[in-house]
Amino acid sequence: GAGVSQSPRYKVTKRGQDVALRCDPISGHVSLYWYRQALGQGPEFLTYFNYEAQQDKSGLPNDRFSAERPEGSISTLTIQRTEQRDSAMYRCASSLAEGSGGGNEQFFGPGTRLTVL
Amino acid sequence: QKEVEQNSGPLSVPEGAIASLNCTYSDRGSQSFFWYRQYSGKSPELIMFIYSNGDKEDGRFTAQLNKASQYVSLLIRDSQPSDSATYLCAVGYSSASKIIFGSGTRLSIRP
């Protein structure tokens, strides 16, 4: 079946513009996660959802970042008034179940490479 | 203090040998542990997960978990050049789905 998809794959924007990054999880997966990954580092947690509810947004860097998953499927990560330091690979993952233990293995999408000029 | 620690490497292992990758974590209540492989320019790919103390084997891979010592390791037997990648350790928090990644260990298998 289809894996996690993300769009766009590449986004170049000018400083100060807003961007919206989309994630379409594996069908039936309850939980959806957003990460940011810098070169040579592991993914850095941003936020996650169980169904449509945002469970934890402690990793969002500041209030310019927001995320939603209104129908419990597709999610959008929005960055307002982008800055050059926002340039990174943004990755989305989904898992079948919530909570710890079996079923919460996360599967990643291809990522969106954001470049802010 | 980082919550999940890995040696960044590079770790160089001859082809056919056993590669041993290690990871320590700080949250004693962590309950789920994952190893991801990431090729350069690609997404992380889940290769192993373990929830209980002891060993878990899958093909050439063995994950080992020791909760008392708060470490998890990954052994790769009969290492192949195609195993050359960055290996990310990830640890699940005790009460939520959130997982925290280490910075990864770069593994190089030399022919």
Side-chain angles (χ1 to χ4, degrees), chain A residues 31 33 35 37 40-43 45 48 50 56 58 91 98-111, chain B residues 2 31-32 34 36 38 41-46 49 51 88 92-104:
Chain A
S31 301
Y33 312 81
Y35 295 90
Q37 188 173 20
Q41 298 295 316
F45 171 82
Y48 87 93
N50 285 336
D56 186 333
S58 61
R91 299 196 185 275
E98 57 183 300
S100 58
N104 69 334
E105 300 85 30
Q106 297 183 21
F107 299 91
F108 281 81
Chain B
K2 283 188 175 180
Q31 296 184 4
S32 51
F34 309 88
Y36 285 81
Q38 187 171 26
K42 301 297 184 183
S43 293
E45 172 193 7
L46 180 67
F49 57 90
Y51 302 119
L88 298 163
Y93 272 58
S94 55
S95 60
S97 301
K98 174 181 175 180
I99 65 174
I100 301 298
F101 283 81
S103 296

Side-chain angles (χ1 to χ4, degrees), chain A residues 39-89:
Chain A
L39 200 62
Q41 298 295 316
E44 173 194 8
F45 171 82
L46 296 178
T47 185
Y48 87 93
F49 295 82
N50 285 336
Y51 300 98
E52 73 282 358
Q54 191 170 21
Q55 298 293 319
D56 186 333
K57 56 181 181 179
S58 61
L60 295 177
N62 51 60
D63 60 7
R64 295 186 297 107
F65 287 73
S66 63
E68 62 175 8
R69 193 186 185 199
E71 297 179 0
S73 179
I74 293 169
S75 177
T76 303
L77 176 70
T78 301
I79 309 173
Q80 295 179 311
R81 305 180 303 281
T82 52
E83 301 178 4
Q84 286 184 327
R85 60 177 171 158
D86 299 333
S87 297
M89 177 68 80

Side-chain angles (χ1 to χ4, degrees), chain B residues 76-94:
Chain B
I76 306 175
R77 290 182 298 281
D78 187 23
S79 297
Q80 303 297 310
S82 59
D83 295 327
S84 297
T86 295
Y87 289 80
L88 298 163
C89 172
V91 176
Y93 272 58
S94 55

Side-chain angles (χ1 to χ4, degrees), chain A residues 8 10-21 64 79-84 86-88 90 113-117:
Chain A
Y10 303 90
K11 178 69 176 178
V12 180
T13 191
K14 291 184 178 180
R15 183 165 50 94
Q17 296 296 306
D18 297 350
V19 295
L21 312 181
R64 295 186 297 107
I79 309 173
Q80 295 179 311
R81 305 180 303 281
T82 52
E83 301 178 4
Q84 286 184 327
D86 299 333
S87 297
Y90 288 83
R113 169 72 66 188
L114 175 65
T115 303
V116 182
L117 302 177

